[in-house]
Amino acid sequence: FVLGFSTADVLMLLISAWRLCLNSTDQREGLLAPRYPGPLQAAPCPFLAISRMLKKLAMLDVAIVGLYLVTYCMAIYKKIGVVVSACEGIAVLFGA
């Protein structure tokens, strides 16, 4: 779960970079060809959209672990009356 989203994100970035490289060599005979000074026109890459989504999901598990650790560490203040509870917060983050 923790490494899966990050690994999939890097894989999608690698595929989109590979796709960009292949498209640039087909259209311009290389990425830095001086004959065609115009911008590279390529179709939107669906792998970048997937990568953005996976990047957010990869950080969501960090938020879940952070919430758990903060509530666990704040339990030492229960003696003086400070009560911190995650209640349904972790379930909402898992549902997201």
Side-chain angles (χ1 to χ4, degrees), residues 11-24:
L11 181 65
M12 290 298 121
L13 288 173
L14 181 67
I15 291 172
S16 64
W18 184 57
R19 181 177 180 258
L20 178 65
C21 182
L22 287 180
N23 284 343
S24 67

Side-chain angles (χ1 to χ4, degrees), residues 76-91:
I76 62 171
Y77 297 111
K78 195 178 282 189
K79 290 186 271 185
I80 60 172
V82 178
V83 178
V84 177
S85 172
C87 295
E88 67 267 354
I90 291 182

Side-chain angles (χ1 to χ4, degrees), residues 2-13:
V2 174
L3 290 176
F5 288 130
S6 298
T7 305
D9 180 28
V10 171
L11 181 65
M12 290 298 121
L13 288 173

